Amino acid sequence: MTDINTAKGSGEGPSKDPIDRMAPDVGLPSAVALERLTPVVELIFFAYRDFTSESDAVLEAYGFGRAHHRVLHFVTWRSGLRVADLLETLRITKQSLARVLKKLVDRGFIVQEAGAADRRERRLYPTLEGRKLAEQLRALQTRRIAAALGEIEPAGQAAALGFLLALTAQPDRAGLAQMLADCGMTPSRPMTETRVR
Amino acid sequence: MTDINTAKGSGEGPSKDPIDRMAPDVGLPSAVALERLTPVVELIFFAYRDFTSESDAVLEAYGFGRAHHRVLHFVTWRSGLRVADLLETLRITKQSLARVLKKLVDRGFIVQEAGAADRRERRLYPTLEGRKLAEQLRALQTRRIAAALGEIEPAGQAAALGFLLALTAQPDRAGLAQMLADCGMTPSRPMTETRVR
DNA sequence: TATTTATGTCAGTCATGTTGACTAATTAGG
DNA sequence: CCTAATTAGTCAACATGACTGACATAAATA
């Protein structure tokens, strides 16, 4: 666990590697100082736990779980995607998806139709009911996000998104950054080619 | 050390409802505009998914899962806590915890000892091996966090933490904010109704 | 036509969450 | 001092959502 043993107190050196040039204020030399970030690990845990709690409660009333939420979300807001896209996005196996997707289809929240160009593909779409639930869940989540953004200084909002984007692994960054930009949500320091790790 | 909060002189607005006065830049009126935040929902999903992926891989080699990680984390970094504290923190049931905790104890990563004042209590402590694993996992996570903080403007780092703190529900905010402050990580606009200090 | 691709499905396993009931040890209150 | 409440451990049973591996089917492609 200690590949970070490079410089330590080196205050204002030229910063190249992201791991070395961090947080002047939130202060981060390099080696030992990483442990100062321990509470941030917990912060992320608590934030995610609470971010999902509201929608989880709604889902429960429908007899769905978080897995159904994820599927319904992407099918609704990236309407027309294929099963393969969903597998790639969620990083789960076909069988895991099948169980969840089947339930959503059986219960009338999602419909499948063969692709126009390639009829092996099943394009996925929400039904009216599916869209309604997806909207309800989105409302809960975006409301919480909006409230949280409202609690920080406007100047820092782009940075907050930039931080989350930087936590995300490369393969998904570009698409996310594009989506954010399309919605007028420009993260600070967008997709800098970073090989974290 | 708190000089980050001075960023931009926009701080003195007539702040009303958090949901109404948000994001001039990241722009947020109120009603319909919430749907512009949809990609942020996905951003949070991807960020969390990728944030946990590295440590999950290490855990797998030990035959542990994310549940064990959470327990080991809190037992190590809040050493000496009681079972009841853990239940409260993780928001799981006694039985869920028992299975995971028992495995960690049986495998020699955690020890329990009766509380000094109240001998019904079982205070939890990591063994040497437990601490080693916890350190390894923490290193992975803090390294990723540090890299992500390094990718945004220093001025925005406090805001990024403030955003996550704002996503967290009240009960846990105070303690988190205190921990962050103790480590020199001051989130911007800390706790609204949570006076610590 | 033969192969590859996209999807669906069967069968079984594992991890982690749940409930409810019960025991044991210890402390606290009347 | 004896009963209450508290803290923790445990059993049995169950649900969800991951996983693997094997196999089926339809459609596109070489």
Side-chain angles (χ1 to χ4, degrees):
Chain A
M1 68 182 114
T2 342
D3 0 36
I4 315 129
N5 293 343
T6 35
K8 50 168 60 166
S10 70
E12 313 312 43
S15 27
K16 350 162 183 240
D17 192 67
I19 297 175
D20 275 335
R21 64 145 154 65
M22 68 218 20
D25 301 317
V26 186
L28 273 283
S30 184
V32 199
L34 278 187
E35 64 190 52
R36 294 209 316 159
L37 293 174
T38 305
V40 183
V41 172
E42 305 188 7
L43 176 61
I44 293 174
F45 166 71
F46 288 120
Y48 193 77
R49 183 196 67 179
D50 294 338
F51 174 64
T52 55
S53 63
E54 282 178 318
S55 39
D56 283 353
V58 170
L59 288 159
E60 200 180 4
Y62 283 81
F64 292 136
R66 208 177 285 176
H68 301 90
H69 185 182
R70 292 192 284 258
V71 170
L72 182 60
H73 175 98
F74 286 108
V75 167
T76 301
W77 311 117
R78 298 185 184 184
S79 193
L81 45 42
R82 300 166 305 154
V83 169
D85 300 324
L86 217 33
L87 292 176
E88 171 57 25
T89 301
L90 302 177
R91 302 253 177 95
I92 58 176
T93 58
K94 201 171 28 161
Q95 296 69 20
S96 296
L97 175 59
R99 204 182 316 105
V100 170
L101 183 55
K102 191 174 191 310
K103 185 168 180 178
L104 284 163
V105 169
D106 289 349
R107 302 256 317 259
F109 287 74
I110 286 178
V111 287
Q112 302 165 292
E113 50 180 77
D118 185 337
R119 297 192 15 206
R120 286 171 305 182
E121 296 173 350
R122 297 300 159 91
R123 313 309 283 229
L124 304 171
Y125 303 92
T127 61
L128 238 161
E129 192 180 11
R131 180 168 287 272
K132 257 183 63 183
L133 177 55
E135 297 260 26
Q136 184 186 354
L137 295 167
R138 179 179 65 174
L140 286 175
Q141 296 191 298
T142 53
R143 195 155 54 97
R144 192 171 197 109
I145 291 168
L149 285 174
E151 284 188 49
I152 63 178
E153 313 138 21
Q157 296 175 347
L161 302 186
F163 175 62
L164 293 179
L165 195 57
L167 280 182
T168 306
Q170 271 307 326
D172 288 306
R173 278 204 207 182
L176 262 177
Q178 186 57 59
M179 286 190 64
L180 288 163
D182 290 346
C183 296
M185 320 279 306
T186 313
S188 81
R189 301 273 233 104
M191 55 237 99
T192 19
E193 182 53 41
T194 15
R195 57 291 130 101
V196 171
R197 171 186 275 63
Chain B
M1 35 180 71
T2 325
D3 42 347
I4 313 159
N5 296 349
T6 61
K8 231 20 179 328
S10 63
E12 272 56 80
S15 43
K16 328 151 204 189
D17 187 68
I19 299 177
D20 276 333
R21 62 144 158 69
M22 68 216 19
D25 303 319
V26 188
L28 272 285
S30 181
V32 198
L34 279 187
E35 64 188 52
R36 294 211 314 161
L37 293 174
T38 304
V40 182
V41 173
E42 304 188 8
L43 176 61
I44 293 174
F45 166 70
F46 288 120
Y48 193 77
R49 183 197 66 181
D50 294 338
F51 174 66
T52 55
S53 63
E54 281 178 318
S55 39
D56 283 352
V58 170
L59 288 159
E60 200 180 2
Y62 284 80
F64 291 136
R66 209 177 286 176
H68 302 91
H69 184 184
R70 291 192 285 258
V71 170
L72 182 61
H73 174 98
F74 287 107
V75 167
T76 302
W77 311 118
R78 298 185 184 184
S79 193
L81 45 41
R82 300 166 305 151
V83 169
D85 299 325
L86 216 34
L87 292 177
E88 171 58 25
T89 301
L90 302 176
R91 302 255 176 94
I92 59 176
T93 58
K94 201 172 25 161
Q95 295 69 21
S96 294
L97 176 59
R99 208 182 308 110
V100 170
L101 183 55
K102 190 174 191 309
K103 185 168 180 179
L104 285 163
V105 170
D106 289 348
R107 302 256 317 259
F109 287 76
I110 286 179
V111 288
Q112 301 163 292
E113 50 181 76
D118 185 337
R119 296 188 18 205
R120 288 170 303 183
E121 296 172 350
R122 297 301 159 90
R123 314 306 285 228
L124 304 171
Y125 302 91
T127 61
L128 239 162
E129 193 179 12
R131 180 168 288 273
K132 255 183 64 183
L133 177 55
E135 297 260 26
Q136 184 185 355
L137 295 167
R138 179 179 66 171
L140 286 175
Q141 298 191 296
T142 54
R143 195 155 53 99
R144 193 171 197 108
I145 290 168
L149 285 173
E151 284 189 49
I152 62 178
E153 313 138 20
Q157 296 174 348
L161 302 185
F163 175 63
L164 293 179
L165 194 57
L167 279 182
T168 305
Q170 273 306 330
D172 289 307
R173 278 204 209 182
L176 263 177
Q178 186 58 59
M179 286 190 65
L180 288 163
D182 290 346
C183 296
M185 319 280 306
T186 313
S188 80
R189 300 272 233 105
M191 50 255 95
T192 345
E193 70 178 89
T194 323
R195 335 199 80 283
V196 178
R197 171 209 181 96

